[in-house]
Amino acid sequence: MSTKPSRTLDPVPNPHPDREYVVEIKCPEFTALCPVTGQPDFATITFKYVPGPSIVELKSLKLYIWSFRDEGHFHEDVTNTMLKDFVKMIQPRKLEVIGEFGVRGGIYTTVKADYEEGK
Amino acid sequence: MSTKPSRTLDPVPNPHPDREYVVEIKCPEFTALCPVTGQPDFATITFKYVPGPSIVELKSLKLYIWSFRDEGHFHEDVTNTMLKDFVKMIQPRKLEVIGEFGVRGGIYTTVKADYEEGK
Amino acid sequence: MSTKPSRTLDPVPNPHPDREYVVEIKCPEFTALCPVTGQPDFATITFKYVPGPSIVELKSLKLYIWSFRDEGHFHEDVTNTMLKDFVKMIQPRKLEVIGEFGVRGGIYTTVKADYEEGK
Amino acid sequence: MSTKPSRTLDPVPNPHPDREYVVEIKCPEFTALCPVTGQPDFATITFKYVPGPSIVELKSLKLYIWSFRDEGHFHEDVTNTMLKDFVKMIQPRKLEVIGEFGVRGGIYTTVKADYEEGK
Amino acid sequence: MSTKPSRTLDPVPNPHPDREYVVEIKCPEFTALCPVTGQPDFATITFKYVPGPSIVELKSLKLYIWSFRDEGHFHEDVTNTMLKDFVKMIQPRKLEVIGEFGVRGGIYTTVKADYEEGK
Amino acid sequence: MSTKPSRTLDPVPNPHPDREYVVEIKCPEFTALCPVTGQPDFATITFKYVPGPSIVELKSLKLYIWSFRDEGHFHEDVTNTMLKDFVKMIQPRKLEVIGEFGVRGGIYTTVKADYEEGK
Amino acid sequence: MSTKPSRTLDPVPNPHPDREYVVEIKCPEFTALCPVTGQPDFATITFKYVPGPSIVELKSLKLYIWSFRDEGHFHEDVTNTMLKDFVKMIQPRKLEVIGEFGVRGGIYTTVKADYEEGK
Amino acid sequence: MSTKPSRTLDPVPNPHPDREYVVEIKCPEFTALCPVTGQPDFATITFKYVPGPSIVELKSLKLYIWSFRDEGHFHEDVTNTMLKDFVKMIQPRKLEVIGEFGVRGGIYTTVKADYEEGK
Amino acid sequence: MSTKPSRTLDPVPNPHPDREYVVEIKCPEFTALCPVTGQPDFATITFKYVPGPSIVELKSLKLYIWSFRDEGHFHEDVTNTMLKDFVKMIQPRKLEVIGEFGVRGGIYTTVKADYEEGK
Amino acid sequence: MSTKPSRTLDPVPNPHPDREYVVEIKCPEFTALCPVTGQPDFATITFKYVPGPSIVELKSLKLYIWSFRDEGHFHEDVTNTMLKDFVKMIQPRKLEVIGEFGVRGGIYTTVKADYEEGK
């Protein structure tokens, strides 16, 4: 029943490219499938970035988050994939992505990845 | 019934221009419209500044906050626009503006921008 | 840019009319205008109800909440108006509406109204 | 600079006289003078009532609270005086007034008075 | 009934001028009038200082706080005026004054000013 | 330097003898001496009463609390003595006195006594 | 160095035998030995009673609590023994004894026993 | 009845070996036996690491945690053994292991061990 | 009944003069008289020190705290006097004294003084 | 029934002497006697150490804690004695011992002592 939404993050021209400022976006409604068991995983994904030429359009981010719903991903993989997609499509000066995953088999997992332009 | 309030911040002469002190103003009742969907957005806007020649008159700030009520703005844009308006009209030595926006599509956004005279 | 949304609450057939259960809906993003000063008021509106033949469709509730945005209402009036609209359009067995309004002139106001079928 | 505000509570016709509902109003910015020492007293005054033919207009309540500012009153007296004024001017079905007064001489005082129509 | 109390802070000889120590005084019962509307404002004022030749006598501080009761002052002004009065009358080595003001028009304001001898 | 304050509670005519209302007074600064060791005891004493013909004047209550400072009393005795003095001098319709005493020898003691007119 | 303290609770004539009031005594420093392993046990013992002809003298209670220090007792036994000793020596109208014991082998134990005169 | 699960941690190729990022895994369901008394011990074990060539597969971690169930281990030993097994099998760049053990004989124990590649 | 306790702090030979360690002592039951009004003041006094040749004997400290009971002292004075007495009689390597005083006239006061040997 | 337990801390060979890691042990059930009055004292003792050649066997620690039960000790002495015993018998690289003692005469005492190998 779920139609696959797009895997793109739409850039919107940064309305204030002359300024260095910080945007923090928290998405508590991420879900994907476990690549091993095929069972649902849930996570809160947080993006914290300093915009470069663009900012991310929130509706496209919502669809992007949604696009993982029927795919299998390791926690570490999906967190870094999001980091790389965001860097490629939005070109931030700095970015941190944090994935906090729901308990599985009595185990809690959190993954943190970051990026800085020119490093 | 809503009459459009003015977009100006009234400066009041800084009663103590000889001193460097800090004023923090928190406005939990900001609302504007989403530029994409036209639906209401809500936010808490915080101004933290070191006054220069002027301080901001609070009633004009209340009207200024109100003046965005019927306009469409991106979160990043409105936060920086407020920073620039405040800098232009009140000429602070330092200023930080923080916009904490209400959840949209399961997504929480915070924008932080700051200014320092002569930087 | 703000187009007036409709003042209707769309009923959806109660999928379990044979059961008495409770639905609680919290709307922290209500805003209207003060009927005396024309200035914005803010509130959190909570609906707590036992469905009868119908449940309320959430998008219509969002638009309903939004529809007060440009109108002037007394706190007591808007809370009871919402109660009566909800009773008329959704026909709950029981309903409580609570409006918690933002501080004005150093005064905090909360209005609670309830309804029970056949009383 | 302080001009004496009026001692009246303006009734507004109860927009829903057919319903029994509750209005709770909290006023943390009450101040008067001690009738013995003439020094300032501070309190939080809470009004909780079921409206009859009228509701209280909030701006008049703000001025009413303010009107005690330069007068001397015993805690017990001011709390009951407010109860009686409210009953006389607003004619609620039920009313509770609570005065929580600032510490004096290491002593904390709270006064609670209530009224029910026809009792 | 209110007799205007004096605007002076009485110095008491510092009983231990040979030592550098810290005194913190918190006054949650400050009230003055708004210079624009004439309506009451409320605040908590905190003084934190290192005594020089004198310490402040607390009863005179209570009367000093009280003395603003019937005057109009901007938040920024009153906070700095208190700083300057305290410096002039008590001659502390260091002083910080913080004014946390009650919400007005949905806006919360805090003002912080400090002084250090010889700076 | 300590002059023995009086052991009387001054009644003030109940300004609203026609009403049944509640006054709660909390005194965290009670101290007396241990009748066995002569060492200081500390307690928080709370009076909760429904006034009859009189209310208690707070300054006299402060002095009354103070009057035990140099006397030896058992916890149970002082709590009931206060109850009886209050009943005799203020003639409340109802009264509850609670004494919460500071830890002694690793032991915490609380005493509760109450009175109701005509019982 | 430890001298065995006495196992008696000294009664003091109830200074107010005409009144029914409540005394609550909390003793967080109870320790005894496990009758099985001989190892230390720890507990908080609470006595809540309505005095009859006597009240308990606190120093004797402290020594009483202490007197169990070198004896072996089951949790259930010591709690009821204290109830019976207190009833016999102090003759309360009502008494409740609660023993909250320290965790042992990952197990937490609480024992409650009560008495009422003539029941 | 418990069949011994394997003592291995399965490495999965690090999907982003080019990046330094952090993975934190919390396991509140560890149990082993006390090597002295043979009685059950319980603990929460936390692994915090920066992946090298591999990440740990969570199901194998779950079985690894389980594999200690019927073995006797000192708290300090099991914590460091897990550190060393993890380093050997997963080759992290950095790793911290924390074991928080349940109370035993009234004693609470926590063990922290860490590793950094090339140190 | 109150006999004036001594104003001395008894030194006990530091059982471990070879070690630098910290002793923190909190006294919530300090009371003295106001030197201006003669009325009781209350405070919590905290001593934090590194022992030199001696440690303070706690019973003498209790009596020392008690010895101020019937004397008039300014908050700043008593705090520093305690610091100096402690330094003179116990000769600590380091000492901090903090006095947190009960609210008076709506004003809260805290005084902090410290000492370091050879400074 | 109480047999005097031994005053030794049994070392167990550090299973991982090649590693520097931290062990924290909290003992809330310490009791000894007051050397002045002979009455019981209670405390929570915490040991935090980096093992050298040995770790402490927990049962021996439990007995060690227990061994003070019938002895008189000053708070400062017992805390440092435990530090020295632990250093002598377990030879840690680093050690901190904290004793938090139960209130006596309205006074709370905490003692902190630490050791570092080669300092």
Side-chain angles (χ1 to χ4, degrees):
Chain A
M1 191 168 163
S2 160
T3 65
K4 175 85 175 270
S6 92
R7 176 59 55 89
T8 59
L9 293 167
D10 298 344
V12 173
N14 178 350
H16 301 273
D18 56 316
R19 319 211 69 270
E20 174 158 329
Y21 60 95
V22 179
V23 182
E24 181 168 340
I25 301 172
K26 191 172 186 175
C27 311
E29 297 180 348
F30 173 85
T31 182
L33 302 176
C34 172
V36 179
T37 65
Q39 295 182 5
D41 278 331
F42 291 83
T44 291
I45 307 294
T46 301
F47 299 86
K48 191 171 180 177
Y49 74 108
V50 175
S54 312
I55 56 176
V56 63
E57 195 279 315
L58 289 183
K59 192 172 179 194
S60 74
L61 177 59
K62 187 178 69 177
L63 296 173
Y64 176 85
I65 291 291
W66 178 11
S67 71
F68 291 84
R69 187 175 181 82
D70 298 328
E71 300 179 1
H73 292 274
F74 282 104
H75 298 350
E76 298 82 352
D77 187 16
V78 74
T79 307
N80 282 284
T81 295
M82 285 177 164
L83 182 96
K84 290 177 172 176
D85 286 348
F86 196 105
V87 167
K88 179 156 148 258
M89 294 188 254
I90 309 299
Q91 300 167 269
R93 297 180 190 175
K94 292 179 193 165
L95 172 64
E96 181 179 28
V97 180
I98 302 173
E100 299 163 276
F101 294 83
V103 59
R104 282 292 164 268
I107 295 175
Y108 297 77
T109 306
T110 299
V111 183
K112 296 182 188 179
D114 52 29
Y115 160 88
E116 185 162 352
E117 192 179 43
K119 285 201 177 173
Chain B
M1 190 166 168
S2 163
T3 65
K4 175 80 175 276
S6 90
R7 177 59 55 86
T8 59
L9 293 166
D10 298 345
V12 173
N14 178 350
H16 301 273
D18 57 315
R19 319 212 69 270
E20 174 157 329
Y21 60 96
V22 179
V23 182
E24 181 167 340
I25 301 172
K26 191 172 185 175
C27 310
E29 295 183 347
F30 173 85
T31 182
L33 302 175
C34 171
V36 178
T37 64
Q39 295 185 6
D41 277 330
F42 292 80
T44 292
I45 308 293
T46 301
F47 299 86
K48 192 171 180 177
Y49 73 107
V50 176
S54 312
I55 56 175
V56 64
E57 195 280 315
L58 288 183
K59 192 174 179 192
S60 74
L61 178 58
K62 186 180 72 176
L63 296 173
Y64 176 85
I65 291 291
W66 180 11
S67 71
F68 291 84
R69 188 174 176 87
D70 299 329
E71 300 179 0
H73 292 275
F74 282 104
H75 298 350
E76 297 82 351
D77 188 15
V78 75
T79 307
N80 282 284
T81 294
M82 286 176 164
L83 182 97
K84 290 178 171 174
D85 285 348
F86 197 104
V87 167
K88 180 157 148 257
M89 294 187 255
I90 308 300
Q91 299 168 268
R93 297 181 189 174
K94 292 180 194 164
L95 171 65
E96 180 179 29
V97 179
I98 302 173
E100 300 162 274
F101 293 83
V103 60
R104 283 295 163 268
I107 295 174
Y108 298 77
T109 306
T110 299
V111 183
K112 296 183 187 180
D114 51 28
Y115 160 87
E116 186 162 350
E117 193 179 41
K119 285 202 177 173
Chain C
M1 187 165 171
S2 163
T3 64
K4 177 80 174 279
S6 89
R7 177 62 52 92
T8 58
L9 292 167
D10 298 344
V12 173
N14 180 350
H16 301 276
D18 55 317
R19 316 211 68 268
E20 173 154 331
Y21 59 97
V22 179
V23 183
E24 182 165 342
I25 302 171
K26 192 171 186 176
C27 311
E29 297 184 343
F30 173 85
T31 181
L33 303 175
C34 173
V36 178
T37 64
Q39 295 186 8
D41 277 329
F42 292 81
T44 293
I45 307 294
T46 302
F47 298 85
K48 191 171 179 176
Y49 73 108
V50 175
S54 312
I55 56 176
V56 65
E57 194 279 317
L58 288 183
K59 191 173 181 193
S60 73
L61 178 58
K62 186 180 73 177
L63 295 174
Y64 177 85
I65 291 290
W66 178 10
S67 72
F68 292 84
R69 188 174 176 86
D70 299 327
E71 301 180 359
H73 293 275
F74 282 103
H75 298 350
E76 296 83 352
D77 188 15
V78 75
T79 308
N80 282 285
T81 294
M82 286 177 165
L83 182 94
K84 289 178 172 175
D85 286 348
F86 197 105
V87 167
K88 182 160 145 251
M89 293 187 256
I90 308 300
Q91 299 167 268
R93 297 183 189 171
K94 293 182 193 164
L95 172 65
E96 182 179 29
V97 180
I98 302 173
E100 299 163 276
F101 293 83
V103 58
R104 286 291 169 269
I107 294 175
Y108 298 76
T109 304
T110 300
V111 182
K112 296 182 188 180
D114 51 29
Y115 160 87
E116 185 162 352
E117 195 177 37
K119 285 201 178 174
Chain D
M1 189 166 170
S2 164
T3 63
K4 176 81 174 277
S6 89
R7 177 58 54 90
T8 58
L9 292 167
D10 298 345
V12 173
N14 179 351
H16 301 271
D18 56 316
R19 318 213 70 269
E20 174 156 330
Y21 59 96
V22 178
V23 183
E24 181 166 341
I25 301 171
K26 192 171 187 176
C27 311
E29 297 183 345
F30 173 85
T31 182
L33 303 175
C34 172
V36 177
T37 64
Q39 295 186 8
D41 277 330
F42 291 81
T44 292
I45 307 294
T46 301
F47 299 86
K48 191 171 178 176
Y49 74 108
V50 175
S54 311
I55 56 175
V56 64
E57 194 280 314
L58 288 183
K59 192 174 179 191
S60 74
L61 178 58
K62 186 179 74 178
L63 296 173
Y64 177 85
I65 291 290
W66 178 11
S67 72
F68 292 85
R69 187 174 176 86
D70 300 328
E71 301 179 358
H73 293 275
F74 282 103
H75 298 349
E76 296 83 352
D77 188 16
V78 74
T79 307
N80 282 284
T81 295
M82 286 178 165
L83 183 95
K84 289 178 172 175
D85 285 349
F86 197 103
V87 168
K88 181 158 146 254
M89 294 187 256
I90 309 300
Q91 299 167 268
R93 297 181 190 174
K94 294 180 193 164
L95 172 64
E96 181 179 31
V97 180
I98 302 173
E100 300 163 277
F101 293 83
V103 58
R104 285 291 168 269
I107 294 175
Y108 298 77
T109 305
T110 299
V111 183
K112 296 182 188 180
D114 51 29
Y115 160 88
E116 185 162 351
E117 193 178 39
K119 286 201 179 175
Chain E
M1 190 165 168
S2 164
T3 63
K4 175 84 175 274
S6 90
R7 177 59 55 87
T8 58
L9 293 167
D10 298 344
V12 172
N14 179 349
H16 301 272
D18 56 317
R19 319 214 69 269
E20 174 156 330
Y21 60 96
V22 179
V23 183
E24 182 167 340
I25 301 172
K26 191 171 184 176
C27 311
E29 296 183 346
F30 173 84
T31 181
L33 302 175
C34 172
V36 178
T37 65
Q39 295 185 8
D41 277 331
F42 292 80
T44 291
I45 307 293
T46 301
F47 299 86
K48 192 171 179 176
Y49 75 107
V50 176
S54 312
I55 56 175
V56 64
E57 194 281 313
L58 288 183
K59 192 173 179 193
S60 74
L61 178 58
K62 186 180 73 177
L63 296 174
Y64 176 85
I65 291 290
W66 179 11
S67 72
F68 291 85
R69 187 173 176 88
D70 300 327
E71 300 179 1
H73 292 276
F74 282 105
H75 297 350
E76 296 84 350
D77 189 15
V78 75
T79 307
N80 282 284
T81 294
M82 286 176 165
L83 182 97
K84 290 177 171 175
D85 285 348
F86 197 104
V87 168
K88 180 156 148 258
M89 293 186 258
I90 309 300
Q91 299 167 269
R93 297 180 189 175
K94 293 180 195 166
L95 172 64
E96 181 179 28
V97 180
I98 302 173
E100 299 163 276
F101 293 84
V103 59
R104 285 293 167 266
I107 294 175
Y108 298 77
T109 305
T110 299
V111 183
K112 296 181 187 180
D114 51 29
Y115 159 88
E116 186 163 350
E117 193 178 41
K119 284 200 178 174
Chain F
M1 190 165 167
S2 164
T3 63
K4 174 82 173 276
S6 88
R7 175 60 53 90
T8 58
L9 293 166
D10 299 344
V12 173
N14 179 350
H16 301 273
D18 56 316
R19 319 213 68 270
E20 174 157 329
Y21 60 95
V22 179
V23 183
E24 182 167 341
I25 301 171
K26 192 171 185 176
C27 311
E29 296 183 346
F30 173 84
T31 182
L33 302 175
C34 172
V36 178
T37 64
Q39 295 185 8
D41 276 330
F42 291 81
T44 292
I45 307 293
T46 301
F47 299 86
K48 191 170 178 177
Y49 74 109
V50 175
S54 312
I55 56 175
V56 64
E57 194 280 315
L58 288 183
K59 192 174 180 192
S60 73
L61 177 59
K62 186 180 72 178
L63 296 174
Y64 177 85
I65 291 291
W66 179 10
S67 72
F68 291 85
R69 187 174 176 88
D70 300 328
E71 300 180 0
H73 292 275
F74 282 103
H75 297 350
E76 295 83 352
D77 188 16
V78 75
T79 307
N80 282 286
T81 295
M82 286 177 164
L83 183 96
K84 289 179 172 175
D85 285 347
F86 197 104
V87 167
K88 180 158 146 254
M89 293 187 257
I90 308 299
Q91 299 167 269
R93 297 181 191 175
K94 293 180 193 165
L95 172 64
E96 181 179 29
V97 180
I98 302 172
E100 301 162 276
F101 293 83
V103 58
R104 285 293 169 267
I107 295 175
Y108 299 77
T109 305
T110 299
V111 183
K112 297 182 187 180
D114 52 27
Y115 160 87
E116 186 162 351
E117 194 178 38
K119 286 201 178 176
Chain G
M1 188 165 167
S2 164
T3 63
K4 173 83 175 272
S6 88
R7 175 61 52 91
T8 59
L9 292 167
D10 298 344
V12 173
N14 179 349
H16 302 271
D18 56 315
R19 319 212 70 271
E20 173 157 330
Y21 59 95
V22 179
V23 183
E24 182 168 339
I25 301 172
K26 192 172 185 176
C27 310
E29 296 184 345
F30 174 85
T31 183
L33 302 175
C34 173
V36 178
T37 64
Q39 294 184 9
D41 275 331
F42 292 81
T44 292
I45 306 294
T46 301
F47 299 86
K48 191 171 178 178
Y49 74 109
V50 176
S54 312
I55 55 175
V56 65
E57 195 279 316
L58 288 183
K59 191 172 180 193
S60 73
L61 178 58
K62 186 179 72 177
L63 295 174
Y64 176 85
I65 291 290
W66 179 11
S67 72
F68 292 85
R69 187 174 176 88
D70 300 327
E71 299 179 1
H73 291 275
F74 283 102
H75 297 351
E76 297 80 354
D77 186 17
V78 75
T79 307
N80 282 285
T81 295
M82 287 177 164
L83 182 96
K84 290 178 174 174
D85 286 348
F86 197 105
V87 167
K88 180 160 145 252
M89 293 186 256
I90 309 299
Q91 299 167 269
R93 297 182 191 173
K94 293 179 193 167
L95 171 64
E96 181 179 29
V97 180
I98 302 173
E100 300 162 276
F101 293 83
V103 59
R104 284 294 168 267
I107 294 174
Y108 298 76
T109 305
T110 298
V111 182
K112 297 182 187 180
D114 51 28
Y115 160 88
E116 186 163 350
E117 193 178 40
K119 286 201 178 176
Chain H
M1 193 169 165
S2 159
T3 65
K4 175 84 176 271
S6 91
R7 176 59 53 90
T8 59
L9 292 167
D10 299 344
V12 173
N14 179 350
H16 302 272
D18 56 316
R19 319 214 68 269
E20 174 157 330
Y21 60 95
V22 180
V23 182
E24 181 168 340
I25 301 171
K26 191 172 186 175
C27 311
E29 296 180 348
F30 173 85
T31 181
L33 302 175
C34 172
V36 178
T37 64
Q39 296 183 2
D41 277 332
F42 291 82
T44 291
I45 307 294
T46 301
F47 300 85
K48 190 171 180 178
Y49 74 108
V50 176
S54 311
I55 56 176
V56 63
E57 195 278 316
L58 289 184
K59 191 173 179 193
S60 73
L61 177 59
K62 188 179 69 177
L63 296 173
Y64 176 85
I65 290 292
W66 177 12
S67 71
F68 291 85
R69 186 174 180 84
D70 298 328
E71 301 179 1
H73 291 275
F74 282 104
H75 298 349
E76 297 83 350
D77 188 16
V78 74
T79 308
N80 282 284
T81 294
M82 286 177 165
L83 183 96
K84 289 179 171 174
D85 286 348
F86 196 105
V87 167
K88 179 155 148 261
M89 295 186 254
I90 309 299
Q91 298 168 269
R93 297 181 190 174
K94 293 180 193 165
L95 172 65
E96 181 179 28
V97 179
I98 302 173
E100 301 163 276
F101 294 82
V103 59
R104 283 293 165 267
I107 294 175
Y108 298 77
T109 305
T110 300
V111 183
K112 296 181 189 180
D114 51 29
Y115 160 87
E116 185 163 351
E117 192 178 43
K119 285 201 178 175
Chain I
M1 191 164 170
S2 162
T3 64
K4 176 85 175 273
S6 89
R7 176 60 54 89
T8 58
L9 292 167
D10 298 344
V12 173
N14 180 348
H16 301 272
D18 56 316
R19 318 214 70 271
E20 174 157 329
Y21 60 95
V22 179
V23 182
E24 182 167 339
I25 301 171
K26 192 172 185 176
C27 311
E29 296 183 346
F30 173 85
T31 181
L33 302 175
C34 172
V36 178
T37 64
Q39 294 186 8
D41 278 330
F42 292 80
T44 292
I45 307 294
T46 301
F47 298 86
K48 192 171 179 177
Y49 75 107
V50 176
S54 311
I55 56 175
V56 64
E57 194 280 316
L58 289 184
K59 192 173 178 194
S60 74
L61 178 58
K62 187 180 71 177
L63 295 173
Y64 177 85
I65 291 290
W66 178 10
S67 72
F68 291 85
R69 187 174 176 88
D70 299 328
E71 300 179 0
H73 292 275
F74 282 104
H75 298 350
E76 296 83 352
D77 189 16
V78 74
T79 308
N80 282 284
T81 295
M82 286 177 165
L83 182 96
K84 290 178 172 176
D85 286 347
F86 197 104
V87 167
K88 180 157 146 258
M89 293 186 257
I90 308 300
Q91 299 168 269
R93 298 181 189 174
K94 293 180 193 164
L95 172 64
E96 181 179 30
V97 180
I98 302 172
E100 299 162 276
F101 294 83
V103 58
R104 284 293 168 268
I107 294 175
Y108 298 77
T109 305
T110 300
V111 183
K112 297 182 188 179
D114 51 29
Y115 160 88
E116 186 163 349
E117 193 178 41
K119 284 201 178 175
Chain J
M1 190 163 170
S2 163
T3 64
K4 176 81 176 276
S6 89
R7 176 60 53 89
T8 58
L9 292 166
D10 298 345
V12 172
N14 180 349
H16 302 272
D18 55 316
R19 319 215 68 269
E20 173 156 329
Y21 59 95
V22 180
V23 182
E24 182 168 339
I25 302 172
K26 191 172 186 176
C27 312
E29 295 183 345
F30 174 85
T31 182
L33 302 175
C34 173
V36 178
T37 65
Q39 295 185 6
D41 276 331
F42 291 80
T44 291
I45 307 293
T46 301
F47 299 86
K48 191 172 179 176
Y49 74 108
V50 175
S54 312
I55 55 175
V56 64
E57 194 280 315
L58 289 183
K59 192 172 180 194
S60 73
L61 178 59
K62 188 179 71 177
L63 296 174
Y64 177 85
I65 291 290
W66 178 11
S67 71
F68 292 86
R69 187 175 176 86
D70 299 329
E71 299 179 2
H73 293 275
F74 282 104
H75 299 349
E76 296 83 351
D77 189 15
V78 75
T79 308
N80 282 284
T81 294
M82 287 177 164
L83 183 96
K84 290 178 171 175
D85 286 347
F86 197 104
V87 166
K88 180 156 147 260
M89 293 186 255
I90 308 300
Q91 299 167 268
R93 298 181 190 173
K94 294 180 192 165
L95 172 65
E96 181 179 28
V97 179
I98 302 173
E100 301 163 274
F101 293 83
V103 58
R104 283 292 168 267
I107 295 176
Y108 298 77
T109 305
T110 299
V111 182
K112 296 182 189 180
D114 51 29
Y115 160 87
E116 185 164 351
E117 193 178 42
K119 285 202 177 174

